[in-house]
Amino acid sequence: MLKIMCLFQNLAIVAASRQSAAIPGSQVRKRGALPGRRYGVLTAPFVRRITSLFLSLLVVGASHSVLAADLSPMTDPLAWPPLTRECRPWSYWWWMGSAVDPANLTRELQRYADAGWGGVHVIPIYGAKGWEEKSIPYLSPKWMDMLRHTVTEARRLGLDVDMTTGSGWCFGGPHVTDREANALAVVKTFEVAAGQKLSEKFDRQVVQALAAFSSEGQCVELTDRISADGTVDFTAEGGPWRVFTVSQRPSGQKVKRAAPGGQGHMLNLMSPAAMRHYLEWFEAAFAGYTGPKPRAQYHDSYEYRSEWSPEFLAQFAQRRGYRLQSELPALFGKDETDRAARVKCDYRETLSDIMVEETLPMWTQWSHGRGFITRNEAHGSPGNLLDLYATADVPETEMFYKDRDILVSKFASSAAHVAGKKFVGCETGTWLQEHFTETLADMKYLLDDLFVSGVNHVVYHGTCYSPDEAPWPGWLFYASYEMNPRNSIWRDVPALNAYVARCQSVLQSGAPDNDLLLYWPIYDRWHNPKGMAQAFTVHARDWLDGQAIGKLARRLWGRGYAFDYVSDRQLTGAKTRAGGIEVAGGTYRAVVVSACEHMPLETFKQLLALAEAGATVIFEGGLPADVPGWADLEKRRNEFKKRLESVKLARGADSEWREAKLGAGRILVGEVESALTAAKVARETLTDHAGVLVIRRRFDGGRHYFIANRGADPFDGWLLLAKEARSAVIMDPMTARCGVASLRQGESGQPRVWLQLPPGGSLILRTFTEREVKGEPWVWWRESGQPVEIAGNWQVEFLQGGPQIPPPAQITKLGSWTELGGEEVQRFAGTALYTITFDAPPAAADSWLLDLGQVCQSARVRLNGRTLGTLLTPPFRVAAGSLKARANLLEVEVTNVSANRIRDLDRRKVPWKSFQDINFVNLGYKPFDASNWPLTDSGLLGPVRLIPLTPALSPPRGEGEPNHAR
């Protein structure tokens, strides 16, 4: 069955890569079929339909497997896992003005299925100008009918659908009242001189707290003294008093990029009552809905402006054990005292708790009760990111333009790993580069960064629904990668999607295999007398890099230690089993605590209990010194001190750390890596090679390693593995090729595997602990002679694109097709076929490597009718195998980006930017204008060369050493 599944999957991928669907704004030259373009009776549409039907049967109930890790052993050690729709990439799908119709919805979904997507995420936003009459109000009966059609058609095509619980972002809309809106505290102070009465009047329907404070710190609460006419009976006795009044107002933050029918205030996530009322809107919309429901509800990144709510004071008293009304000077005053820091720490913890324990779980529970799962982007919020991510079934991160930090994205994957959730999502490609200049190589590099960070469910950001009636470039969203069928790069998107599907099939299988839990000391961050709510964003990252944990995390990551972050709340449920620390998602070797000043008493007690039961707990530098927060401070401090004194540290075997034996376990304090060595926690030394990144997962009987070379130099050498292995299989996710690896046991007893990785390359290594895998060996090659350039007459024929198909050309020197002459080639975006016939070089070779040189920007390659592959990233090289002595036919289909075509529209002032709201802006959020762009090189620039190869018998260097000579 597994082999049958893989056959259908590979047929579907090949069919998608060769399909040239009719795309608005794109012309196709009528010509004879190229060799290798047909399968006989197995035409591409037939294969797609059969495969979609087959896979749809496989993924029935996929939503219910979200929390289940599959640790079953590999039946076929040389086969890829099944490629479900969750394995394939999904995409945000913006509905402009919700001006959608059934015919165009079906056409668009068909194109996405043809390209190898797994699903779409519907987000209604502002509309396109001139299409207002076709707009459909959000959640209206007609809108729900379009949703029904979308989900029905998507599942017929083997896709699925998610939706935002709202329009645009974030949660909010017309039903959100001023009281329920994201809110700021309004604080006013009044000085009352000794013996004077408080003369101001107050609205008791508005004021949430009114309290007077003497210069000696005495507090008198006055809220209940507000009379019907607004006066307050208060006289300042014994000296001057300061009166604080607290109310709230909407922050003014409205739903961003809202759709018709979705405009209004953003919601207040610190208000359970507001969330309850908000969900009633969706309850009513789905009450009469009879169609198939989307897979998931979604919450976007936290872009609310909120620091207060009507329930906050009551929530605070319940959770922190004292009334915040009595500490208003510490919360809202200007004194930067330890008391102020402690009160504000409690304030920030309460903000977090309300979201973690009430509002977001309420949304998730509502979703589960109606058959949805949930996806949540927690970043940007003032709460504990690890706990907030974990409230959803699919924690979701993002990387934004240059704000690409693997260690930030690991907060989402850590939450999933520790909580035992299968999927880690990512908003993928937001502002990757400037519009229409983004290449598939750019996306591939981003994907590899995401995969090593723990992401295994990418959602492209993204594509706009666009009716076929809209002229090129169609409807566009301003912060998008423009991953849509109208963009010229779409032609080779199926190859990228196949790569994603294979990678994610592995990264979704089994379970995480990280060794360490790295404690996030968030209370050190919260213990700050300045400001109010603190945002933990993917942009400004001082909350991580400015803290000791950020510095330690980067050292551990750079040294190859596999870790997940863990929160105080997540540690609460941890247990010790056979010397390891067991959480819902698996077992870890040790807990590591970065240098920190403040730690909750309960967390410290839990760490000591874990050690008593047999665990290893490592503290960087020293033990924490104090507890956070204000309530019962001395009582908690005294107990904390007693616990500290119970840890009897003595010098360890290494002078860089000290050790305390506790029950069956131990606590190590000092330099972390030395302590990890003492705890026998091994690192992956392959990260010693600049730019080589890895993530590891386990299954019953072995492990998977996803390895990416994000450095500038090729790697060619032995890689030492931290985990035991008897045999291994190399798997190339770009080509689907698999073979048995050359594996040896190193002098240290660690297994080592020989790998070659060019810059930008990636491979998957599947290891087996006991099993000896038999099969076709993976062969590495070595250059055995000088490159030979393929020269002669090149035929250039433009196949598909626009605005018009340029005439064919014959050239003897390769270069950008923009230099062929005439405006048609300068503004053309699409695909050209380069053809040449050549004789084999006179020198003998065991095999040949074809090097295309410079390619702008992707290429499909065929040699003598054989498809060699689709190349997306430099170096644009592909194995050519053997050659004929005479008349070898080389065909290279090169596709460029759409930069020159959009440049032409702006130079001619064609009014294509016709969208409401923000319209269409560039990376700097200024009006987009490509008219002054230089021409972008396009096509096959070469030089095209043949490189003789011979099988390599061993790496060029010793154990674990890379070769940078090639």
Side-chain angles (χ1 to χ4, degrees):
M1 176 61 73
L2 182 60
K3 291 184 177 179
I4 294 173
M5 290 158 57
C6 291
L7 170 63
F8 274 105
Q9 291 160 2
N10 288 329
L11 284 173
I13 289 167
V14 173
S17 67
R18 291 175 173 173
Q19 177 68 11
S20 297
I23 305 298
S26 178
Q27 299 183 4
V28 179
R29 181 176 296 280
K30 295 181 180 179
R31 62 191 312 276
L34 293 171
R37 297 296 288 271
R38 296 183 180 274
Y39 305 94
V41 296
L42 284 178
T43 61
F46 176 79
V47 171
R48 284 196 309 274
R49 292 190 185 100
I50 294 297
T51 304
S52 294
L53 175 61
F54 186 75
L55 292 181
S56 67
L57 296 175
L58 294 177
V59 298
V60 169
S63 296
H64 302 289
S65 67
V66 169
L67 299 179
D70 181 10
L71 290 171
S72 57
M74 292 294 149
T75 307
D76 184 343
L78 293 169
W80 293 88
L83 304 184
T84 67
R85 56 189 168 195
E86 271 77 22
C87 295
R88 297 180 228 142
W90 290 42
S91 182
Y92 290 77
W93 194 25
W94 297 286
W95 286 7
M96 282 199 154
S98 297
V100 299
D101 65 78
N104 276 301
L105 285 169
T106 296
R107 279 194 289 264
E108 292 278 84
L109 290 168
Q110 181 71 65
R111 290 164 183 149
Y112 307 151
D114 290 348
W117 283 6
V120 292
H121 169 180
V122 173
I123 307 179
I125 58 171
Y126 54 86
K129 295 176 182 177
W131 293 76
E132 289 81 2
E133 290 185 0
K134 294 185 177 293
S135 292
I136 302 172
Y138 180 55
L139 294 186
S140 66
K142 186 175 181 181
W143 194 96
M144 298 300 290
D145 194 47
M146 293 301 102
L147 180 66
R148 177 199 56 77
H149 178 85
T150 297
V151 179
T152 300
E153 287 293 274
R155 292 190 177 147
R156 178 181 66 83
L157 295 167
L159 303 170
D160 213 333
V161 179
D162 290 352
M163 66 176 287
T164 298
T165 316
S167 77
W169 69 93
C170 301
F171 284 5
H175 298 276
V176 177
T177 65
D178 285 358
R179 182 176 174 83
E180 297 165 340
N182 55 169
L184 302 178
V186 178
V187 181
K188 297 179 181 179
T189 60
F190 307 93
E191 302 295 333
V192 184
Q196 298 297 309
K197 287 183 173 290
L198 179 61
S199 59
E200 283 75 10
K201 291 187 177 182
F202 305 92
D203 185 344
R204 61 184 180 184
Q205 301 301 317
V206 173
V207 172
Q208 297 176 18
L210 183 66
F213 298 86
S214 71
S215 56
E216 288 78 26
Q218 183 183 356
C219 172
V220 176
E221 290 194 34
L222 303 174
T223 312
D224 292 340
R225 298 190 190 182
I226 302 175
S227 65
D229 65 359
T231 59
V232 176
D233 182 16
F234 173 75
T235 301
E237 298 180 355
W241 288 63
R242 173 171 290 183
V243 176
F244 282 76
T245 177
V246 182
S247 59
Q248 72 177 61
R249 65 173 178 83
S251 69
Q253 189 82 318
K254 301 294 183 70
V255 175
K256 292 187 177 181
R257 318 311 176 207
Q263 301 95 331
H265 288 299
M266 282 190 189
L267 192 66
N268 192 336
L269 290 197
M270 285 70 179
S271 171
M275 176 65 80
R276 191 174 298 109
H277 181 230
Y278 181 68
L279 291 174
E280 291 174 2
W281 186 23
F282 296 88
E283 181 71 17
F286 278 99
Y289 179 77
T290 58
K293 291 179 180 177
R295 180 193 69 154
Q297 294 288 329
Y298 170 80
H299 178 235
D300 211 325
S301 58
Y302 188 103
E303 296 185 27
Y304 308 89
R305 290 179 58 216
S306 203
E307 62 183 19
W308 204 259
S309 72
E311 305 100 315
F312 187 80
L313 290 170
Q315 288 273 1
F316 186 95
Q318 176 186 341
R319 295 174 181 279
R320 303 284 83 85
Y322 67 98
R323 290 174 61 79
L324 188 56
Q325 291 92 324
S326 65
E327 296 295 337
L328 296 182
L331 182 63
F332 296 116
K334 297 180 180 180
D335 293 339
E336 297 182 4
T337 62
D338 181 68
R339 180 172 181 168
R342 291 181 178 280
V343 170
K344 289 193 176 185
C345 180
D346 286 340
Y347 158 78
R348 291 160 184 151
E349 184 179 8
T350 304
L351 291 178
S352 181
D353 284 352
I354 295 171
M355 291 186 289
V356 169
E357 297 177 2
E358 297 204 40
T359 54
L360 285 174
M362 187 186 302
W363 166 66
T364 294
Q365 291 161 12
W366 176 86
S367 298
H368 287 175
R370 279 93 192 141
F372 308 110
I373 64 171
T374 54
R375 291 168 40 214
N376 179 40
E377 290 191 349
H379 44 275
S381 84
N384 190 308
L385 295 186
L386 295 170
D387 297 335
L388 287 168
Y389 279 126
T391 61
D393 300 305
V394 184
E396 185 157 318
T397 183
E398 72 171 292
M399 290 187 178
F400 184 102
Y401 188 37
K402 294 182 179 180
D403 295 326
R404 292 167 58 166
D405 193 328
I406 289 170
L407 295 184
V408 171
S409 291
K410 277 180 69 66
F411 275 78
S413 63
S414 294
H417 294 168
V418 173
K421 299 175 188 291
K422 183 175 181 178
F423 298 126
V424 181
C426 184
E427 176 186 319
T428 306
T430 307
W431 284 126
L432 188 54
Q433 298 290 344
E434 186 56 271
H435 295 292
F436 307 105
T437 69
E438 298 158 317
T439 68
L440 297 179
D442 293 331
M443 181 61 81
K444 197 269 185 186
Y445 300 148
L446 173 65
L447 289 164
D448 288 350
D449 285 349
L450 294 173
F451 291 152
V452 298
S453 74
V455 169
N456 63 6
H457 188 17
V458 301
V459 186
Y460 292 137
H461 196 270
T463 188
C464 255
Y465 163 94
S466 186
D468 280 5
E469 300 88 336
W472 193 90
W475 294 357
L476 301 173
F477 179 64
Y478 71 94
S480 169
Y481 176 85
E482 311 307 348
M483 178 68 80
N484 66 64
R486 300 168 301 284
N487 194 343
S488 56
I489 64 172
W490 184 260
R491 181 176 175 85
D492 288 333
V493 160
L496 180 70
N497 292 340
Y499 171 79
V500 173
R502 295 187 191 106
C503 288
Q504 294 193 152
S505 73
V506 168
L507 296 173
Q508 291 174 10
S509 66
D513 192 39
N514 294 329
D515 295 314
L516 305 175
L517 287 170
L518 180 58
Y519 170 71
W520 184 24
I522 193 171
Y523 291 91
D524 273 359
R525 182 70 179 178
W526 281 343
H527 185 92
N528 187 335
K530 298 179 180 179
M532 293 290 286
Q534 298 173 333
F536 299 102
T537 75
V538 300
H539 308 295
R541 299 185 293 277
D542 180 66
W543 60 268
L544 180 63
D545 290 330
Q547 304 295 112
I549 184 178
K551 298 175 177 63
L552 178 58
R554 296 204 186 280
R555 288 201 305 275
L556 293 174
W557 177 255
R559 293 289 288 161
Y561 287 100
F563 66 86
D564 283 317
Y565 303 110
V566 67
S567 71
D568 298 86
R569 181 180 270 101
Q570 291 167 329
L571 275 175
T572 300
K575 299 177 181 179
T576 301
R577 184 184 297 273
I581 299 97
E582 186 179 68
V583 293
T587 303
Y588 294 78
R589 297 283 305 280
V591 178
V592 177
V593 180
S594 67
C596 71
E597 182 75 13
H598 303 91
M599 178 179 286
L601 174 61
E602 294 306 316
T603 300
F604 191 59
K605 289 165 61 177
Q606 171 68 350
L607 291 174
L608 298 185
L610 290 172
E612 287 272 4
T616 297
V617 180
I618 300 171
F619 288 87
E620 181 188 25
L623 297 173
D626 202 354
V627 294
W630 181 247
D632 296 325
L633 179 58
E634 290 308 313
K635 179 181 178 181
R636 290 185 294 118
R637 268 180 170 165
N638 290 335
E639 186 174 354
F640 193 81
K641 183 178 179 181
K642 291 178 181 178
R643 299 283 177 168
L644 285 172
E645 292 171 348
S646 71
V647 181
K648 307 297 184 182
L649 292 169
R651 185 173 297 277
D654 188 321
S655 63
E656 294 186 323
W657 52 271
R658 294 174 296 159
E659 180 179 17
K661 299 286 188 181
L662 267 74
R666 59 180 175 169
I667 287 179
L668 303 177
V669 179
E671 201 280 320
V672 170
E673 188 165 354
S674 296
L676 289 171
T677 301
K680 294 183 171 53
V681 177
R683 68 186 186 92
E684 294 291 355
T685 58
L686 59 87
T687 59
D688 292 346
H689 311 299
V692 177
L693 305 174
V694 64
I695 189 170
R696 194 177 66 219
R697 293 181 69 86
R698 61 184 171 85
F699 57 88
D700 186 11
R703 290 176 172 83
H704 283 123
Y705 293 74
F706 175 83
I707 305 170
N709 184 359
R710 295 290 282 113
D713 297 314
F715 177 88
D716 186 352
W718 291 105
L719 289 180
L720 285 176
L721 304 180
K723 301 295 182 178
E724 66 275 14
R726 185 177 179 185
S727 62
V729 172
I730 295 173
M731 313 173 74
D732 182 356
M734 190 60 75
T735 65
R737 189 164 69 97
C738 300
V740 178
S742 176
L743 183 146
R744 300 177 186 174
Q745 300 300 326
E747 295 179 1
S748 61
Q750 290 177 275
R752 56 178 186 157
V753 176
W754 179 13
L755 291 183
Q756 294 178 351
L757 269 180
S762 52
L763 288 172
I764 290 167
L765 187 66
R766 175 183 289 167
T767 66
F768 296 87
T769 307
E770 302 292 340
R771 185 174 183 176
E772 186 69 42
V773 175
K774 304 294 184 182
E776 189 73 22
W778 187 282
V779 178
W780 294 117
W781 297 86
R782 184 90 56 232
E783 296 179 18
S784 59
Q786 294 300 311
V788 178
E789 185 173 354
I790 297 176
N793 292 321
W794 289 88
Q795 305 297 322
V796 183
E797 184 177 6
F798 294 89
L799 301 181
Q800 175 182 316
Q804 294 87 31
I805 300 292
Q810 179 175 306
I811 58 176
T812 57
K813 181 180 179 181
L814 292 172
S816 174
W817 73 48
T818 59
E819 299 172 357
L820 292 177
E823 290 187 357
E824 283 189 353
V825 291
Q826 290 186 351
R827 65 192 181 199
F828 179 74
T831 303
L833 170 65
Y834 291 75
T835 306
I836 194 170
T837 302
F838 66 94
D839 295 337
D846 294 297
S847 187
W848 293 93
L849 180 70
L850 179 65
D851 184 347
L852 297 182
Q854 185 177 356
V855 173
C856 299
Q857 275 69 42
S858 63
R860 301 182 189 180
V861 186
R862 291 182 300 279
L863 179 63
N864 298 324
R866 290 184 294 115
T867 297
L868 300 186
T870 300
L871 307 181
L872 307 180
T873 62
F876 290 94
R877 292 179 163 190
V878 64
S882 60
L883 300 175
K884 297 191 302 182
R886 298 282 184 269
N888 293 277
L889 177 64
L890 175 62
E891 299 170 287
V892 184
E893 294 182 6
V894 180
T895 300
N896 69 341
V897 294
S898 293
N900 292 337
R901 187 172 180 182
I902 209 71
R903 169 184 180 270
D904 172 69
L905 289 185
D906 281 351
R907 286 167 64 87
R908 293 189 289 116
K909 302 189 184 306
V910 176
W912 63 272
K913 291 163 283 192
S914 299
F915 313 114
Q916 296 168 354
D917 200 282
I918 196 173
N919 200 344
F920 199 77
V921 295
N922 62 20
L923 263 174
Y925 280 75
K926 304 295 183 183
F928 181 90
D929 182 6
S931 61
N932 291 322
W933 286 6
L935 285 170
T936 299
D937 284 344
S938 302
L940 181 59
L941 278 64
V944 178
R945 306 181 302 167
L946 287 165
I947 301 173
L949 300 176
T950 190
L953 301 179
S954 65
R957 305 231 177 163
E959 180 176 304
E961 295 183 5
N963 173 33
H964 298 316
R966 291 178 58 196

